Amino acid sequence: MSEIVKVSIDGIPVEVAPGTTILNAARQIGGDVVPPAMCYYSKLEGSGGKCRTCLVKVSKGSEKDPRPMPKLVASCRTTVMDGMEVQNITSPEVIEARKGIVEMLLINHPLDCPVCDQAGECSLQDLAYEHGAAKTRYEFERRKFERVDIGDKIQLHMTRCILCYRCVFVADQITDHRIHGILNRGDHSEISTYIHQAVDNDFSGNVIDVCPVGALTDKTFRFKNRVWFTKPVEAHRDCDKCCGKVTLWYKGEDVLRVTGRKDAYGEVEEFICNTCRFEQKKTADWVIEGPRNVSNDSVISSNHYGSLNLPPVVKKNLALQESNKEQLERFTRL
Amino acid sequence: MGRKLLLEHINVPNINTFDVYRSKGGYAAVEKALKTLSPEDIVEEVKKSGLRGRGGAGFPTGMKWSFLAKPEGKPRYLVCNADESEPGTFKDRFLMTKIPHLLIEGMIIGSFALGAKTSYIYVRGEMMPQIRILEKAIAEARNAGFLGKNILGTGYDLELYVQPGGGAYICGEETALIESLEGKRGNPRIKPPFPAIAGLWGCPTVVNNVESIAAVVPIIRDGGEEYAKIGVGRSTGTKLISASGNLVKPGIYEIELGVPVEEFIYSDEYCGGIANGKRLKAVVAGGSSVPILPANLINKTINQEARLMTYESLSDGGFATGSMMGSGGFIAFDEDQCIVRNTWNFARFYHHESCGQCSPCREGTGWMEKVLHRLEYGHGKLSDIDLLVDVSRKIEGNTICPLGDAAAWPVASAIRHFRDEFEWHVTEPKFCLQRNYGLAHYADPLPKPEPVAV
Ligand SMILES: Cc1cc2nc3c(=O)[nH]c(=O)nc-3n(C[C@H](O)[C@H](O)[C@H](O)COP(=O)(O)O)c2cc1C
Ligand code: SF4
Ligand code: SF4
Ligand code: FES
């Protein structure tokens, strides 16, 4: 096999290493041709294939076998072949199927965004905004679960879960022994700890970061604020357990929450430990690197850098003053 | 009288014991295979026989065996799928109860042909009696030297285990079965890799249905060519059909593939017609997963040809006017049966059995069930019918395993062929609780198809 595989996605050619999935090839191109991924998580082995939002059409299998694939395939779990041609947003069939999947994900979802801590950084919200219908066709009672605390720092709100299995993979692969998984089957499946045992492990907090929706939330941040009123700032500290590289979320001068650093696809760059996440909530605990880049179309960006009033933390911190120079000048001029 | 290959001696008293089975020529095929044939010869015979998987998909068994990867230093496994849970299908249970040694004999031959030294029979959890029967039969076969070390002095070793499942329909899907066999939650795996490359414990594995494995015995005993003489075209050999519903004589029949459907329903040799002098309304020909057909499409195809009990003929007409052989669960509905109710019942089953891994199946099966429930009880709307078709389309083909399709097809086909009855449930909500829609025009002769303009 050659070292490079040539594929085209929505007509855009890209060269990738053999064994790359269609999804990752699309991410190399970037932009609109990247299929949405609700369950795949590149850092979690075995993830993907479940939510089906990343379905694409393979209109040409490969140079050797040009036949199209008979069904839509999950791009996160299908590897590219040399000469493969993939259609994502150029295929009406894919768009239609994806709309169907989004509808399915939403029929049992409580749609309680106004009271959900994840709102504003929720993959399901983004997905529904982009692909969903304005009205539901579902006229039955939605599935409900009781909220449970798993440990004193994490809350599980199963009603919002989309069963992406990411947190199960985290528990399996990142923490030293897994004590939570999926109980029952079908639409009454639920994420559960083994008889409500507390999840107590140095890395358990990462389940919050991988959860694409508001099913697993940080109790230390619960109801403190809306994410779009908080200002993300990159920071690091010397940590003997993890890389110590985090995003701090400020409101005024207070650090309301600490998370891993998420990339454009909502994946953390590196997993962080619970000490960094839950215990270090003073600016003095951290070395501030600078403000976090937030994409323009995220609601998170709507409330800060554009606004004239700079967050107080910027005025006190040299690194932040440096990177917010322009705004600061404007601010002081006024 | 059609030829019987599997059930030939089924009525012999105590055929479930080793001695009686042996006295009727049992285990002769094992002797022949181990002493005179090479594994490749056996695979070749099975290929020649044209045997197609009896578990539902109808994939040629010989081909499946020849695809098995044979990497150095890795064990290979043969797993028998005895999870039979499809509504309407109950042939494997019968075979295991009555003539367990046939399955064990087939397992020995199959394992030898595939080079498996450990093989498993994965039995559905509810079939506790069958599990005991199989375990007893295995012990008997072992005592007689047909299992264990150095079988018949040929140097071939085989351990055969019976593994009870938890009673989930989804564990009949081959990769879910493998997960379950490994002691995990029975979620279907995402393919590729296929079991032939990485199955049980990551090793090359073949999963076959009980009946497929049992059919290997007559194939090896009489030769593949002999077996292939029975049947029509690519549907060779005999097939067990479990007939149920409103028939005079429901039960398990071994048919030669190619028997006309009409003969199967009405002749005294088989089901003996519709019970209580009623008329036939509809048939589900291959277990709950396959499309349902109205009476006027089951005996004859759309082109007015007699429909035969073969893989090809049953699917003649595609999804528009055909169905499938499936696993051979033949369910007949008479004029008093309500198709809406039956469709709801099937939908309820799939909703209950979905593993919940992928969103379209997890959410869509429940949605369909709820809408069908509403229709059945006279609270539906006309738009519900199109909604059901749409939901079924969004599930079909978009899921990890075929359970999604299996849930979508019965709903889509019932609406395709019995739309009037669904509409009646909406327009006459009172009547639909008191009586059934009846036969209506579902058995009327079909109009002659328009000649195709050339
Ligand atoms: C949801 C589901 C349930 C199934 N249940 C069974 C079953 O109970 N028994 C069986 O033999 N095959 C079952 N199958 C088919 C198996 O996946 C597999 O195709 C079969 O065991 C292969 O054997 P064969 O080639 O001998 O037919 C099922 C498939 C699906 C998708
Ligand atoms: S709790 Fe969150 S991460 Fe876990 S399966 Fe549900 S949606 Fe996925
Ligand atoms: S189609 Fe249904 S049963 Fe199959 S993997 Fe998906 S959720 Fe599970
Ligand atoms: S991201 Fe591919 S199926 Fe979920």
Side-chain angles (χ1 to χ4, degrees):
Chain A
M1 214 195 246
S2 64
E3 285 303 294
I4 286 286
V5 178
K6 290 194 180 108
V7 288
S8 88
I9 300 171
D10 285 338
I12 305 171
V14 64
E15 294 184 355
V16 296
T20 309
T21 59
I22 298 175
L23 181 72
N24 281 331
R27 283 181 177 184
Q28 286 188 24
I29 300 173
D32 289 343
V33 301
V34 186
M38 298 293 288
C39 66
Y40 171 77
Y41 207 83
S42 63
K43 278 125 203 133
L44 297 172
E45 202 190 317
S47 66
K50 301 191 194 297
C51 71
R52 317 304 282 177
T53 55
C54 71
L55 290 178
V56 293
K57 184 181 166 107
V58 176
S59 48
K60 179 180 169 195
S62 68
E63 211 52 72
K64 265 196 231 122
D65 181 2
R67 286 175 303 170
M69 292 193 183
K71 292 185 193 173
L72 303 183
V73 297
S75 58
C76 64
R77 291 292 294 253
T78 310
T79 45
V80 294
M81 296 293 217
D82 197 36
M84 185 185 267
E85 285 172 15
V86 180
Q87 296 179 347
N88 178 22
I89 49 174
T90 49
S91 159
E93 197 187 335
V94 170
I95 300 296
E96 184 63 20
R98 191 166 293 151
K99 214 174 126 198
I101 309 284
V102 175
E103 184 173 28
M104 300 288 186
L105 285 174
L106 290 174
I107 59 171
N108 269 308
H109 193 80
L111 302 175
D112 58 347
C113 310
V115 295
C116 176
D117 278 335
Q118 190 88 0
E121 53 175 18
C122 171
S123 306
L124 188 60
Q125 249 184 347
D126 297 347
L127 186 75
Y129 183 70
E130 210 152 297
H131 304 279
K135 274 178 81 174
T136 181
R137 298 188 289 171
Y138 188 72
E139 298 161 326
F140 303 93
E141 206 177 314
R142 287 161 195 263
R143 175 176 64 221
K144 276 202 199 75
F145 295 90
E146 290 294 310
R147 273 191 286 260
V148 284
D149 287 336
I150 42 181
D152 59 341
K153 300 288 196 299
I154 307 171
Q155 184 168 72
L156 168 65
H157 197 352
M158 185 55 215
T159 312
R160 296 176 184 148
C161 171
I162 59 159
L163 287 166
C164 69
Y165 281 63
R166 281 181 186 173
C167 59
V168 180
F169 286 113
V170 166
D172 222 7
Q173 294 167 23
I174 312 295
T175 64
D176 25 294
H177 60 268
R178 182 184 125 189
I179 47 166
H180 93 280
I182 303 223
L183 291 187
N184 297 331
R185 67 174 177 232
D187 60 8
H188 32 268
S189 306
E190 58 178 300
I191 296 291
S192 183
T193 49
Y194 182 60
I195 322 287
H196 293 242
Q197 204 173 348
V199 174
D200 178 20
N201 185 291
D202 276 344
F203 284 85
S204 62
N206 289 298
V207 297
I208 299 167
D209 280 351
V210 300
C211 184
V213 293
L216 290 164
T217 48
D218 183 342
K219 278 186 72 187
T220 63
F221 177 61
R222 204 169 141 64
F223 294 150
K224 285 242 172 82
N225 222 300
R226 312 298 332 206
V227 293
W228 56 88
F229 292 136
T230 61
K231 324 293 173 206
V233 167
E234 309 272 53
H236 66 263
R237 65 184 273 270
D238 248 344
C239 178
D240 51 3
K241 290 186 196 136
C242 70
C243 63
K245 290 187 196 146
V246 301
T247 303
L248 305 177
W249 298 77
Y250 276 99
K251 171 78 180 174
E253 290 183 37
D254 303 324
V255 177
L256 291 193
R257 115 183 133 132
V258 182
T259 68
R261 294 183 185 173
K262 290 193 186 177
D263 65 15
Y265 303 109
E267 293 188 11
V268 296
E269 283 157 20
E270 275 173 274
F271 293 111
I272 60 168
C273 70
N274 285 3
T275 317
C276 288
R277 183 185 305 272
F278 299 124
E279 321 280 341
Q280 311 291 321
K281 296 222 172 160
K282 292 194 295 288
T283 304
D285 296 332
W286 298 95
V287 180
I288 308 281
E289 294 169 18
R292 177 159 182 81
N293 265 331
V294 178
S295 113
N296 285 337
D297 51 341
S298 163
V299 289
I300 300 174
S301 74
S302 70
N303 256 294
H304 26 112
Y305 305 113
S307 99
L308 290 180
N309 282 322
L310 280 171
V313 63
V314 176
K315 282 180 264 174
K316 291 197 182 152
N317 187 291
L318 270 180
L320 287 184
Q321 278 176 15
E322 190 63 26
S323 49
N324 286 277
K325 215 160 152 192
E326 202 185 311
Q327 284 96 328
L328 200 65
E329 271 172 14
R330 201 161 7 129
F331 183 69
T332 33
R333 250 204 328 267
L334 282 168
Chain B
M1 213 34 192
R3 271 183 69 187
K4 304 268 180 285
L5 296 177
L6 304 176
L7 306 186
E8 192 183 352
H9 302 298
I10 201 74
N11 290 323
V12 175
N14 298 326
I15 189 72
N16 61 337
T17 62
F18 179 85
D19 293 336
V20 176
Y21 180 75
R22 183 92 171 114
S23 72
K24 289 285 165 195
Y27 288 100
V30 165
E31 285 182 306
K32 179 173 172 189
L34 266 58
K35 290 187 177 157
T36 67
L37 299 174
S38 71
E40 293 74 32
D41 294 341
I42 299 174
V43 175
E44 203 45 47
E45 283 305 315
V46 176
K47 267 192 182 165
K48 270 194 245 161
S49 75
L51 172 67
R52 291 170 67 173
R54 304 297 193 221
F59 191 80
T61 306
M63 273 234 269
K64 191 175 197 169
W65 287 11
S66 63
F67 288 158
L68 186 72
K70 302 207 163 111
E72 275 300 306
K74 254 197 183 176
R76 303 188 280 274
Y77 296 102
L78 172 63
V79 178
C80 172
N81 187 342
D83 192 61
E84 188 175 62
S85 343
E86 177 119 335
T89 306
F90 44 89
K91 62 188 176 71
D92 296 344
R93 184 185 58 183
F94 178 79
L95 201 96
M96 291 188 290
T97 317
K98 295 283 181 172
I99 185 159
H101 285 285
L102 187 66
L103 174 59
I104 293 165
E105 187 173 3
M107 284 300 283
I108 301 170
I109 302 170
S111 305
F112 177 69
L114 298 171
K117 300 241 180 310
T118 311
S119 293
Y120 298 89
I121 306 177
Y122 182 95
V123 189
R124 176 179 167 192
E126 283 92 341
M127 295 195 204
M128 226 45 217
Q130 286 69 25
I131 292 168
R132 295 213 183 86
I133 292 169
L134 284 172
E135 281 183 336
K136 178 162 166 274
I138 287 174
E140 286 178 327
R142 172 189 292 279
N143 283 341
F146 284 97
L147 280 173
K149 292 250 172 295
N150 193 14
I151 298 171
L152 302 177
T154 57
Y156 174 60
D157 307 336
L158 174 66
E159 287 302 330
L160 183 57
Y161 297 101
V162 178
Q163 175 61 47
Y169 173 62
I170 192 57
C171 290
E173 197 279 337
E174 54 186 7
T175 54
L177 185 152
I178 289 171
E179 286 280 295
S180 172
L181 196 53
E182 288 180 1
K184 304 188 194 132
R185 184 185 159 84
N187 276 0
R189 291 180 181 169
I190 295 153
K191 286 164 271 190
F194 289 92
I197 311 291
L200 187 61
W201 319 115
C203 301
T205 304
V206 166
V207 180
N208 269 134
N209 175 255
V210 172
E211 190 190 342
S212 315
I213 291 173
V216 170
V217 175
I219 289 171
I220 294 306
R221 190 187 59 210
D222 309 335
E225 271 159 27
E226 197 58 32
Y227 187 85
K229 282 184 192 158
I230 307 173
V232 177
R234 287 178 56 235
S235 299
T236 58
T238 64
K239 167 103 190 73
L240 297 182
I241 305 288
S242 45
S244 62
N246 309 108
L247 295 163
V248 174
K249 293 191 295 172
I252 316 266
Y253 294 96
E254 180 171 9
I255 61 160
E256 290 189 8
L257 286 171
V259 172
V261 175
E262 193 159 9
E263 182 183 337
F264 182 71
I265 300 176
Y266 292 101
S267 99
D268 281 336
E269 189 185 334
Y270 303 109
C271 304
I274 308 304
N276 306 320
K278 302 265 183 196
R279 290 168 300 169
L280 179 69
K281 179 175 183 181
V283 164
V284 170
S288 61
S289 308
V290 311
I292 187 170
L293 287 181
N296 57 11
L297 278 173
I298 187 71
N299 292 333
K300 292 224 162 56
T301 66
I302 188 83
N303 297 318
Q304 313 287 336
E305 286 158 18
R307 208 185 273 283
L308 310 178
M309 300 285 275
T310 63
Y311 290 92
E312 292 78 19
S313 183
L314 281 174
S315 55
D316 186 297
F319 276 7
T321 62
S323 182
M324 282 192 299
M325 178 65 125
S327 50
F330 192 95
I331 313 173
F333 301 85
D334 72 17
E335 55 193 298
D336 292 340
Q337 305 311 315
C338 174
I339 300 300
V340 179
R341 187 168 187 82
N342 178 66
T343 311
W344 166 58
N345 191 30
F346 282 173
R348 194 171 58 140
F349 173 79
Y350 289 108
H351 173 211
H352 186 256
E353 297 296 333
S354 159
C355 83
Q357 255 192 118
C358 49
S359 10
C361 170
R362 177 182 67 235
E363 308 293 348
T365 49
W367 192 1
M368 290 198 301
E369 190 212 321
K370 292 189 185 103
V371 175
L372 280 161
H373 181 271
R374 173 159 93 181
L375 281 169
E376 162 62 9
Y377 287 97
H379 309 299
K381 302 184 276 193
L382 279 178
S383 61
D384 283 351
I385 302 172
D386 286 331
L387 175 68
L388 281 172
V389 174
D390 192 55
V391 173
S392 79
R393 249 194 236 129
K394 300 240 151 100
I395 302 175
E396 182 188 345
N398 292 340
T399 54
I400 295 176
C401 87
L403 188 139
D405 304 339
W409 292 339
V411 176
S413 62
I415 295 177
R416 188 176 320 123
H417 299 300
F418 299 91
R419 200 180 184 96
D420 301 0
E421 187 164 349
F422 283 85
E423 287 172 359
W424 182 77
H425 270 248
V426 178
T427 52
E428 303 291 345
K430 259 202 227 102
F431 287 142
C432 81
L433 296 176
Q434 291 157 6
R435 63 180 177 88
N436 281 318
Y437 188 59
L439 185 62
H441 58 279
Y442 298 128
D444 293 354
L446 288 167
K448 282 244 155 48
E450 304 262 318
V452 186
V454 190

